[in-house]
Amino acid sequence: MSILSYLPGVILALFGFGLLIMVHEVGHLVAAKRSGIYVEEFWIGMGPEIWSHYFGETLYCLRLLPIGGACVMEGEDGESVSPRSFNRASRWRRFLVLIAGVTMNFLTGILIIYILLAINDGGTIVRPILDEFIEGFKYEGEDGLMVGDQLLKMNDRNIHLRGDVDIALRDAPEDGKFDILVRRNGKKVWIKDLELKPDIERDGQMMYGLQFIRIKATPAWRLYSAFWRSMDMAGAIWQSLKDLARGDVGVDQLSGPVGVTSIMAQTAKHDLLLFWNLVAFISINLGVMNLLPIPGLDGGRLLFLLVEAIRRKPLGPKLETYVNVAGLVLLFGIMIYATGNDILRLIK
């Protein structure tokens, strides 16, 4: 297959990746401007500069590689005596500026999912409310499940969406027994030690036999579903980080910008709706990763801000700068390693 056939997907992937970086940095930019902090430069991308222009007091730049960006504020890295510098702003204003980028990534993910729900599934949403059971279902009754039950919790997992039921069933204990909380006739009812197993065969597949109702996808329900889908994505990312920390997932599984762009390009080539769902996931991923208390990331700066609030005085600017630089060096090292993994996978 010709490499050129992947070119539209690569272009769309780079656009999606650049869009997510841009909304993150725009969040910092708008919050800084609204807080009266002097923004020296605002740029999207990394590497050689391909365009720049002053708008007001800020220099806006576009760089060649769409894998980064920055909102450079006076006094952000180092001491400054200017009353409009970042380090002279109140802790509350600095918190708002730091959290704004992450917030924009989460809001972008929610917005994309909201739009996808509006154009997908025939304008309906499946709710975790039992509509009927497939013939052969063995667990119906007062002590089991009943038509009209709204599933609220399965073992330790809260149920907000139909997809949460699938995840709970996927993570079923070995004995197949569940403690299920349902809303039945307006009351919350616990069903203890209910054994649920995929023991109904249809078209060669084993099924649980649960059928759920569909409702009209009103704007309110789309927003509700988009929010909880985003939370599920964030939860999956946190779980992946835990698996990585425990050693359940090897560092050789990490992907960098090349790998992410490759996956996005392949997805865009085959299914645009799935591509934008992936963009939403990556947007949530950027939000979660930036909240990690690692020097050089927004989460690291928020940690410094918390320490300052506890000590009632900031850390020394030199110490903070050294720690942030060390964190950035570590992050770039991980990125280079992950990019090496990506290239090896592409070669193979």
Side-chain angles (χ1 to χ4, degrees):
M1 186 176 293
S2 172
I3 294 178
L4 292 177
S5 64
Y6 284 95
L7 187 58
V10 172
I11 293 174
L12 190 56
L14 291 175
F15 170 77
F17 205 60
L19 174 67
L20 300 183
I21 294 170
M22 184 183 72
V23 297
H24 180 94
E25 297 302 336
V26 165
H28 291 312
L29 175 71
V30 173
K33 293 279 190 180
R34 297 284 292 180
S35 298
I37 296 171
Y38 172 45
V39 179
E40 299 174 347
E41 295 183 18
F42 175 84
W43 38 275
I44 298 297
M46 297 180 68
E49 181 183 299
I50 58 177
W51 174 86
S52 65
H53 187 78
Y54 271 100
F55 290 100
E57 63 186 9
T58 303
L59 177 66
Y60 295 83
C61 305
L62 184 64
R63 299 181 183 272
L64 182 62
L65 304 175
I67 56 173
C71 177
V72 182
M73 296 169 280
E74 181 178 359
E76 183 180 9
D77 293 307
E79 189 65 34
S80 174
V81 296
S82 171
R84 295 186 57 204
S85 65
F86 178 81
N87 64 298
R88 294 286 178 174
S90 66
R91 281 193 290 268
W92 177 244
R93 284 192 294 164
R94 280 181 283 158
F95 170 80
L96 291 178
V97 172
L98 292 172
I99 204 70
V102 170
T103 302
M104 286 295 292
N105 279 132
F106 279 115
L107 290 177
T108 299
I110 292 171
L111 176 62
I112 292 173
I113 296 172
Y114 179 90
I115 294 172
L116 292 177
L117 287 171
I119 62 180
N120 204 10
D121 290 336
T124 61
I125 291 176
V126 181
R127 297 274 288 125
I129 300 174
L130 293 169
D131 187 40
E132 60 180 337
F133 303 106
I134 295 177
E135 184 179 352
F137 184 76
K138 303 175 183 178
Y139 315 105
E140 182 178 8
E142 289 286 342
D143 296 328
L145 296 172
M146 299 180 66
V147 170
D149 284 351
Q150 179 182 352
L151 305 186
L152 301 176
K153 194 168 186 176
M154 298 180 69
N155 289 342
D156 295 328
R157 183 170 189 85
N158 292 318
I159 306 299
H160 301 285
L161 306 173
R162 167 68 179 85
D164 294 330
V165 179
D166 291 331
I167 296 173
L169 293 174
R170 182 198 66 194
D171 298 334
E174 292 184 5
D175 59 6
K177 291 184 178 181
F178 290 87
D179 292 335
I180 303 176
L181 178 64
V182 302
R183 181 174 285 113
R184 178 180 295 170
N185 299 323
K187 297 181 180 179
K188 291 183 178 180
V189 177
W190 274 105
I191 304 168
K192 296 289 187 177
D193 293 329
L194 179 67
E195 186 177 30
L196 280 177
K197 294 184 177 180
D199 49 13
I200 301 175
E201 184 177 357
R202 287 291 185 276
D203 300 325
Q205 292 185 337
M206 301 306 294
M207 307 175 64
Y208 283 91
L210 306 173
Q211 298 287 312
F212 298 91
I213 68 169
R214 281 185 175 272
I215 63 172
K216 184 178 179 181
T218 63
W221 278 118
R222 285 202 299 271
L223 183 60
Y224 175 89
S225 296
F227 173 80
W228 284 112
R229 280 196 189 184
S230 298
M231 293 302 100
D232 283 344
M233 289 178 177
I237 295 163
W238 279 117
Q239 185 59 49
S240 297
L241 291 172
K242 290 178 183 178
D243 292 342
L244 183 64
R246 289 196 299 256
D248 296 337
V249 176
V251 292
D252 58 324
Q253 299 299 310
L254 291 174
S255 284
V258 173
V260 173
T261 302
S262 175
I263 294 171
M264 292 174 73
Q266 293 179 50
T267 305
K269 186 174 184 295
H270 297 289
D271 190 328
L272 281 178
L273 291 180
L274 190 58
F275 166 78
W276 284 108
N277 192 70
L278 179 59
V279 172
F281 178 80
I282 295 172
S283 187
I284 299 297
N285 183 61
L286 287 174
V288 171
M289 296 301 290
N290 267 284
L291 278 177
L292 294 177
I294 298 175
L297 297 179
D298 294 335
R301 294 185 182 276
L302 287 169
L303 179 61
F304 284 134
L305 198 59
L306 176 62
V307 172
E308 178 184 328
I310 294 173
R311 296 176 73 239
R312 298 292 181 180
K313 61 179 181 178
L315 294 172
K318 287 186 178 180
L319 174 60
E320 188 170 337
T321 299
Y322 291 151
V323 173
N324 280 325
V325 169
L328 287 173
V329 170
L330 174 62
L331 290 173
F332 274 112
I334 294 174
M335 185 181 295
I336 292 170
Y337 175 81
T339 302
N341 286 340
D342 296 337
I343 294 172
L344 287 175
R345 292 190 194 103
L346 290 174
I347 293 174
K348 291 178 180 179

